[in-house]
Amino acid sequence: MEAGSKDSTIELHLKCRPEKGQHQIRGSFIMPNAFKKSGFLVVFAEGKQAIEAKEAGADLVGSQELIERIKSGELKFDKCISTTEVLPQVAKIARILGPKGLMPTINKGNVTDDVKNAVLYAKNSFEFKADKQFVVHAGT
């Protein structure tokens, strides 16, 4: 039996009580059954890794040509992944991607040489993040 319509949204609001000096709460996980629409995924890669990313389900794959499209403002996306060899080129547009929270970093796990698994995880993962009052807001 289904409750609600097909376009319903699931939201989670969770109040956390952190210890003094605790880092910001954020992360991601994969649900056993996918229930959300994944966003537009861009992968900055070249050569064999670009082919792997396209086969894994990335929406758009490239390197310098994608950077030029982002500079001109014609490309909008929700998530991005970069390989380590292309990251120095992507760093040129850090001022554009950084404020939007889209800049690939090693700490977030979206700079990798295992592009296939990174694309599969990015397409199916559920992300959460706490605000300044340590309330976790997440929705799909």
Side-chain angles (χ1 to χ4, degrees), residues 42-46 60-77 86 88-94 96-97 100:
V42 172
V43 177
F44 297 101
E46 295 175 333
L60 203 52
V61 181
S63 60
Q64 193 60 40
E65 65 278 2
L66 290 180
I67 293 171
E68 295 301 323
R69 288 178 65 185
I70 292 170
K71 279 184 184 177
S72 67
E74 68 180 74
L75 185 61
K76 305 288 184 214
F77 53 94
V86 181
Q89 297 172 15
V90 178
K92 295 175 185 175
I93 56 171
I96 299 169
L97 299 179
K100 298 176 186 176

Side-chain angles (χ1 to χ4, degrees), residues 47-66:
K48 181 183 173 189
Q49 293 175 327
I51 295 168
E52 287 179 5
K54 197 67 175 170
E55 289 174 355
D59 296 312
L60 203 52
V61 181
S63 60
Q64 193 60 40
E65 65 278 2
L66 290 180

Side-chain angles (χ1 to χ4, degrees), residues 13-14 27 41 83 95 129 137:
H13 304 280
L14 182 66
L41 178 65
T83 60
R95 290 187 177 193
K129 179 179 172 182
H137 303 282

